[in-house]
């Protein structure tokens, strides 16, 4: 394909993403479902060239920034608090699922080598970070379940990748050592963490020296790729390196970013991640054509592989349920003995956690990276795609109903010590203390009376609001509705003045930015 045609195809894909995302919004569907289905339908459009996805390129382009985004947004304190549960899912559940799928695959095809069965298990075992984010952004979960799913999706890719590489090597050499695999996993993970710490620390020092907000944003955008590629270059886990770097950058961004850098950087980053996430699902759908052609056509694939693929998909779901419920029973038993203070999830929480294991780009990329001539390669490819379709289309669309059925509530231990209103009181009182200390000159004369009065009145209002939040909420919403209407009116007048030639572009930009900040502040206050 000529480079210009490839570029045209990329632009067409972005336009399709916008249309599919809009359609999903109108139909009330998860965007991932619309994108995956739309990509699959587009793959069979007559005249459209076949899309051949290079798995290594997909991983390098998409995985680092998406992992970085997940690490940037995750709550670090809750991540530490629930690390045992996250490790149980990211390592234990992946190992268990891989083993169960391998056994079932060998029962279905007794002639299939165990290494090939293990490779299939490693490919489909880890839930995907991108798919998990796409599903979770449309539902509301208690904080504990949210952090377990987010943490699992960030860290389990490393487990799946290590298992996959050992399975492929075992298929090629005929030898496999469980002890060597476990030791290799810990070496890769530790090495990745070290690389992540080094890159993250270097980024913090660099950002403090750069000064220019556009250079800072550019350096931050490249950060995930740098960490991932360096980790892979040093033969350690690029996934763990990227996640570690993201956690360090997220922790320090509050102190090293200016307000302007944060606003502009967040806007750019949000759009970039939106396009990348959407592109991943669309590419998965477009790759269906190649998978079907390899299997001899859609009818042949369904006739010869349909039932075995369904068995693997059911096995995958049942294995996750078994691990999660067994883990919850262990927690319940330990809590009864007084060994741990961790509360069990309960039937509802365990069901939601089990049902949320959605697969995506990692599964597809690993399947496509199988070497030519690998035993049952076509079956593994078709099964991998069926698993992605099944989990996204079925679990992704029904997770909201499962959550509603479970009737989950936030536990007291997961609630923050202070509410937002109480935190705002603490912040404004600290600000008032600073203004009071600087409002007088060395002789004790008041030199900033209006500023002092402003902060005193603000502190009084916020303290009163924190004490009677429910009473003030309707009034507050009405207040900011008026503010938003006033902002809209001001913007219309500003544009009218500019169109009439009464003000220049610089004046328009400056005043419009003030209106934008006022509008964002009002929207945030209403939330």
């Amino acid at each position: 394909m000529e480079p210009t045609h490839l570029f045209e195809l990329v632009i067409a894909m972005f336009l399709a993403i916008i249309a599919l995302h809009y359609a999903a919004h109108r139909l009330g569907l998860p965007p991932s479902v619309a994108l995956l289905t739309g990509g699959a339908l587009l793959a069979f459009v007559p005249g459209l060239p076949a899309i051949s996805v290079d798995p290594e390129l997909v991983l390098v382009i998409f995985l680092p920034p998406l992992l970085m985004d997940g690490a940037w947004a995750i709550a670090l304190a809750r991540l530490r608090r629930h690390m045992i549960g996250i490790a149980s899912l990211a390592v234990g559940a992946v190992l268990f699922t891989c083993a169960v799928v391998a056994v079932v695959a060998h029962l279905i095809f007794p002639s299939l080598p165990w290494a090939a069965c293990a490779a299939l298990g490693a490919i489909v075992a880890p839930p995907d970070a991108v798919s998990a984010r796409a599903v979770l952004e449309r539902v509301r979960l208690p904080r504990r379940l949210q952090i377990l799913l987010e943490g699992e999706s960030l860290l389990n890719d490393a487990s799946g990748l290590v298992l996959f590489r050992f399975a492929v090597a075992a298929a090629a050499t005929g030898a496999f050592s469980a002890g060597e695999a476990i030791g290799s996993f810990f070496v890769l993970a530790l090495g990745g963490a070290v690389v992540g710490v080094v890159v993250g620390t270097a980024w913090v020092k660099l950002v403090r020296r750069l000064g220019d907000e556009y250079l800072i944003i550019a350096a931050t955008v490249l950060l995930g790729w740098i960490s991932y590629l360096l980790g892979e270059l040093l033969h350690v886990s690029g996934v763990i390196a990227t996640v570690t770097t993201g956690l360090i950058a997220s922790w320090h961004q509050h102190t090293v970013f200016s307000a302007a850098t944060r606003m502009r950087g967040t806007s750019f980053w949000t759009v970039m991640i939106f396009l990348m996430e959407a592109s991943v699902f669309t590419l998965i759908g477009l790759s269906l054509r190649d998978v079907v052609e390899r299997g001899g056509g859609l009818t042949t694939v369904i006739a010869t592989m349909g039932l075995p693929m369904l068995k693997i998909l059911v096995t995958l779901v049942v294995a996750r349920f078994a691990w999660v419920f067994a883990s919850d029973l262990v927690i319940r038993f330990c809590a009864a003995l007084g060994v741990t203070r961790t509360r069990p999830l309960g039937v509802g929480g365990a069901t939601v956690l089990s049902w949320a294991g959605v697969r995506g780009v990692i599964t597809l990329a690993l399947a496509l990276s199988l070497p030519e001539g690998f035993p049952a390669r076509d079956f593994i490819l078709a099964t991998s795609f069926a698993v992605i379709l099944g989990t996204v289309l079925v679990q992704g669309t029904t997770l909201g109903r499962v959550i509603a059925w479970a009737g989950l509530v936030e536990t007291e231990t997961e609630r923050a010590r202070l509410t937002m209103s109480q935190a705002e009181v603490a912040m404004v009182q600290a600000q008032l203390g600073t203004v009071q200390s600087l409002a007088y000159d060395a002789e004790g004369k008041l030199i900033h009376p209006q500023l002092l009065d402003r902060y005193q009145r603000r502190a009084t209002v916020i303290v009163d609001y924190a004490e009677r939040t429910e009473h003030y909420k309707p009034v507050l919403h009405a207040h900011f509705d008026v503010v938003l209407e006033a902002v809209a009116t001001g913007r219309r007048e500003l544009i009218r003045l500019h169109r009439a030639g009464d003000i220049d572009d610089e004046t328009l930009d400056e005043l419009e930015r003030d209106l934008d900040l006022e509008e964002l502040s009002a929207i945030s206050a209403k939330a």
Side-chain angles (χ1 to χ4, degrees), residues 19 28 105 121 145 164 175 220 224 248 263 283 300 302 309 346 348 371 382 392 405 458 468 487 491 512 527:
L145 285 179
F164 174 75
T220 305
I248 293 173
M263 285 188 65
L283 285 173
T300 304
I302 295 175
M309 289 190 300
V392 172
W405 165 83
R458 185 180 176 214
R468 298 194 294 164
V487 168
R491 183 175 282 108
E512 189 175 40

Side-chain angles (χ1 to χ4, degrees), residues 89-360:
L89 292 168
V91 180
V94 170
L95 289 171
F96 177 74
T97 304
C98 176
V100 172
V101 170
V103 170
V104 172
H106 194 70
L107 290 174
I108 296 173
F109 300 108
S111 61
L112 193 62
W114 276 106
C117 297
L120 173 60
I123 288 169
V124 300
D128 182 60
V130 182
S131 300
R133 281 170 51 84
V135 171
L136 292 177
E137 69 184 8
R138 294 180 57 85
V139 298
R140 189 171 185 84
L141 284 173
R143 288 184 177 90
R144 183 181 176 190
L145 285 179
Q146 186 87 19
I147 199 68
L148 286 173
L149 288 169
E150 290 178 352
E152 176 197 15
S153 66
L154 281 176
L155 301 176
N156 63 9
D157 293 340
S159 306
L161 285 167
V162 171
L163 286 172
F164 174 75
R165 287 168 181 168
F166 270 91
V168 171
T173 62
F176 176 76
S177 169
E180 184 182 350
I182 294 172
S184 176
F185 172 77
F186 283 106
V187 169
L188 291 172
L190 181 61
V194 171
V195 171
V197 169
V198 171
V199 174
T201 304
W203 173 83
V204 173
K205 294 182 180 298
L206 176 66
V207 167
R208 284 176 172 159
R209 293 174 181 269
L210 283 177
D212 185 281
E213 61 190 60
Y214 294 107
L215 293 179
I216 292 172
I217 293 170
T220 305
V221 168
L222 296 175
L223 187 60
W225 282 298
I226 292 171
S227 188
Y228 182 86
L229 292 172
L230 183 59
E232 293 297 310
L233 181 66
L234 297 175
H235 303 291
V236 297
S237 174
V239 171
I240 299 296
T242 306
V243 171
T244 305
T245 298
L247 293 174
I248 293 173
S250 173
W251 180 261
H252 287 282
Q253 59 101 1
H254 304 288
T255 57
V256 299
F257 281 176
S258 66
T261 301
R262 188 175 297 105
M263 285 188 65
R264 289 173 177 166
T266 300
S267 299
F268 174 79
W269 183 260
T270 302
V271 174
M272 186 185 82
I273 293 299
F274 163 74
L275 289 175
M276 296 193 85
E277 284 184 347
S279 298
V280 166
F281 286 108
T282 307
L283 285 173
I284 291 174
L286 289 171
S287 65
L288 175 62
R289 180 173 171 179
D290 186 51
V291 173
V292 169
E293 288 177 352
R294 284 177 177 272
L298 185 60
T299 305
T300 304
V301 169
I302 295 175
T304 59
M305 305 180 190
L307 185 58
M309 289 190 300
L310 181 61
K311 290 179 179 178
I312 296 296
L313 177 58
V314 172
T315 299
L316 200 66
V317 175
V318 171
R320 184 172 176 87
F321 268 86
W323 179 269
V324 171
F325 273 85
S327 300
D328 206 45
L329 283 175
V330 172
I331 293 173
R332 190 181 298 276
F333 180 72
C334 292
L337 295 177
V339 177
T340 178
R341 294 182 181 180
T342 303
R343 296 179 59 181
L345 294 170
V347 174
T351 300
V352 171
L353 189 62
S354 302
W355 194 244
V358 183
R359 272 65 178 179

Side-chain angles (χ1 to χ4, degrees), residues 417-434:
R417 190 169 59 86
L418 297 179
T419 64
M420 185 178 292
S421 296
Q422 291 169 333
E424 194 173 13
V425 168
M427 181 184 70
V428 76
Q429 287 179 337
Q431 289 178 315
L432 177 59
T434 298

Side-chain angles (χ1 to χ4, degrees), residues 418-476:
L418 297 179
T419 64
M420 185 178 292
S421 296
Q422 291 169 333
E424 194 173 13
V425 168
M427 181 184 70
V428 76
Q429 287 179 337
Q431 289 178 315
L432 177 59
T434 298
V435 173
Q436 285 174 334
S437 66
L438 298 175
Y440 298 86
D441 61 14
E443 285 75 32
K445 180 182 177 182
L446 182 61
I447 55 175
H448 299 296
Q450 292 180 334
L451 194 60
L452 180 60
D453 180 63
R454 171 188 163 193
Y455 274 86
Q456 285 174 335
R457 283 188 287 107
R458 185 180 176 214
T460 301
V461 168
I462 289 176
V463 169
D464 187 40
Y465 175 78
E467 294 173 350
R468 298 194 294 164
T469 302
E470 294 304 318
H471 171 74
Y472 281 115
K473 265 189 176 179
V475 178
L476 187 72

